[in-house]
Amino acid sequence: MWLCVIINHQHAPTNQASSIAIPAAAQHSQPNTMTNKFHYYAATGRGHAIRLALSAANIPFEDEYPEGGFPPTAEAKDLWRSIGKNTTTNIPMLQMADGRVFTQSSAVLRAVARIGGLMPTDEGELYMTDKLLADAEDLRGEGYKSFVAWGATEEAVEAFINKVLPLHFGNLERQLKESTGDYFIGDSLTIADIACYDAITNFGSNRVIGSLDGFETLKAWVDKVESNEGIKNYMSSESFAGLWKFGPDTLGK
């Protein structure tokens, strides 16, 4: 069964809303006080990279979706504020079994990387990690501008497909080729890879089919990231299958 909900995203125009189908069965999960909880919607969005990082680091977690889905109710927002303490926004939010709470997507991602051994320690590699996280965020931002449900014009969509996406893919592939190993930073999977993978696939190639053609180094690297045991297991799980994912329909295709 599918439930139609109204989604207002932070990257959508403030006067725009979109009717998007999300699996009704995925709207809410029962709380479990004995494990780590990830509070976000039943969609990839800004939660995808964090879920992938948790999976790659073998940090167990359960998704906690707001009752009623998107947009969140006042009760859901009050619950998040009581946990995360921010009076503005709190999700994506990671609530650890030991009582620690992490809010704001980029901060949560970095926290998971430090906890899970996905963050480099060398000063130069830390700079490259921050730089690549920013590159990934640039691509995400451009991706959100191209969602027709949130007001993107046909011209904006075509520009994203034919100019913006190839530009960002080329810049990321250039840096991957300059690496000393198979990943963006040497021979080990890091949070830089996960952030870039999310931006490239979730906001790019899953929406523009065939867009990685001609970027063979990136394409091979995508396969390598997906071969990580934790990521592979997560992406074959029922939890991942139940999420709403960005596809060509977000471009009106």
Side-chain angles (χ1 to χ4, degrees):
M1 178 180 178
W2 292 81
L3 176 67
C4 190
V5 296
I6 301 299
I7 295 184
N8 276 309
H9 197 279
Q10 62 180 328
H11 284 277
T14 55
N15 63 344
Q16 296 281 347
S18 169
S19 178
I20 296 178
I22 293 179
Q27 290 302 300
H28 184 67
S29 59
Q30 293 300 316
N32 184 335
T33 57
M34 301 304 291
T35 191
N36 307 312
K37 302 175 188 177
F38 183 61
H39 297 263
Y40 194 61
Y41 305 107
T44 51
R46 290 195 171 277
H48 190 45
I50 298 169
R51 292 181 178 117
L52 291 174
L54 287 164
S55 301
N58 295 311
I59 299 173
F61 71 97
E62 287 190 356
D63 284 304
E64 286 285 314
Y65 309 125
E67 189 74 49
F70 218 5
T73 63
E75 291 77 13
K77 291 180 180 180
D78 286 344
L79 174 63
W80 293 334
R81 290 190 188 103
S82 71
I83 298 170
K85 308 305 181 186
N86 270 357
T87 56
T88 52
T89 184
N90 286 279
I91 64 165
M93 176 169 62
L94 180 62
Q95 184 181 16
M96 303 295 286
D98 63 9
R100 290 177 294 170
V101 175
F102 304 102
T103 67
Q104 298 284 24
S105 55
S106 61
V108 177
L109 192 61
R110 285 176 168 86
V112 171
R114 290 189 293 270
I115 294 169
L118 297 171
M119 183 71 79
T121 56
D122 173 80
E123 183 177 346
E125 292 180 345
L126 284 171
Y127 160 73
M128 279 306 301
T129 298
D130 284 340
K131 197 266 186 192
L132 286 161
L133 290 178
D135 288 337
E137 185 57 29
D138 286 347
L139 177 50
R140 283 192 202 93
E142 292 295 334
Y144 275 124
K145 292 177 187 177
S146 67
F147 278 60
V148 294
W150 297 326
T153 63
E154 184 177 349
E155 291 77 13
V157 168
E158 293 304 316
F160 177 76
I161 294 172
N162 297 311
K163 295 179 180 179
V164 175
L165 196 57
L167 176 67
H168 283 265
F169 279 6
N171 185 52
L172 289 167
E173 184 169 75
R174 171 189 64 81
Q175 295 174 88
L176 183 58
K177 288 179 176 179
E178 292 173 355
S179 172
T180 59
D182 293 332
Y183 295 96
F184 271 100
I185 300 177
D187 290 315
S188 300
L189 180 80
T190 69
I191 203 63
D193 295 288
I194 291 172
C196 289
Y197 171 83
D198 171 51
I200 290 168
T201 60
N202 192 25
F203 293 85
S205 62
N206 291 349
R207 302 173 66 220
V208 184
I209 306 304
S211 56
L212 279 174
D213 293 346
F215 298 97
E216 299 307 315
T217 302
L218 272 187
K219 189 183 292 188
W221 165 85
V222 164
D223 291 340
K224 192 168 185 65
V225 172
E226 291 176 351
S227 71
N228 173 273
E229 196 66 24
I231 290 175
K232 181 171 63 176
N233 289 339
Y234 170 67
M235 292 182 69
S236 63
S237 69
E238 291 184 6
S239 295
F240 179 69
L243 298 179
W244 179 65
K245 303 170 184 67
F246 300 156
D249 58 305
T250 62
L251 295 160
K253 304 296 184 182

